[in-house]
Amino acid sequence: RRSLTVVAGECPVDAMVKQKNHTARNKTVKEHAKGIRKVPNFRYKPIKGMDPKFLRNQRYAKKWNSVEGGRRGDEDDDDDDDDDDDDDEEEE
């Protein structure tokens, strides 16, 4: 060992204690005790606090791009051929 000589007004470098910055001991024990859970994944982000101009435009876009709403006369799917249901009654 080296002997430390302290000069008045100076702090010896060898005498300073190095401190531990981080340890992971017991951290995983505590995490597993509480139970490790998945972060909840929400389907839609909340719109509260969003830009009002954006929300107004989004509302109009949803209205005109929906299946029911918006323009009329574009839908030509009026084929109602349900003749297959009558076959069961004729066999009896």
Side-chain angles (χ1 to χ4, degrees):
R1 289 186 155 194
R2 284 194 296 182
S3 63
L4 297 174
T5 56
V6 179
V7 180
E10 291 184 13
C11 181
V13 179
D14 294 336
M16 294 179 66
V17 177
K18 292 190 177 180
Q19 295 181 355
K20 191 185 292 186
N21 292 326
H22 177 72
T23 181
R25 185 187 181 282
N26 206 30
K27 184 177 181 197
T28 54
V29 175
K30 288 183 178 181
E31 287 173 348
H32 282 84
K34 290 188 290 187
I36 297 178
R37 297 185 177 200
K38 252 181 143 176
V39 176
N41 188 8
F42 299 107
R43 186 170 182 176
Y44 301 110
K45 292 183 179 178
I47 60 172
K48 184 178 181 181
M50 277 191 180
D51 185 24
K53 189 176 181 181
F54 169 77
L55 292 175
R56 196 176 316 118
N57 187 39
Q58 189 181 39
R59 191 171 66 230
Y60 294 136
K62 283 180 181 178
K63 177 180 178 182
W64 295 109
N65 288 328
S66 66
V67 176
E68 306 135 3
R71 301 175 184 149
R72 295 179 184 157
D74 293 342
E75 302 170 7
D76 295 328
D77 299 330
D78 294 329
D79 299 331
D80 292 332
D81 296 330
D82 293 332
D83 297 335
D84 298 335
D85 296 336
D86 297 335
D87 294 337
D88 295 334
E89 295 174 4
E90 293 175 4
E91 292 177 4
E92 293 178 9

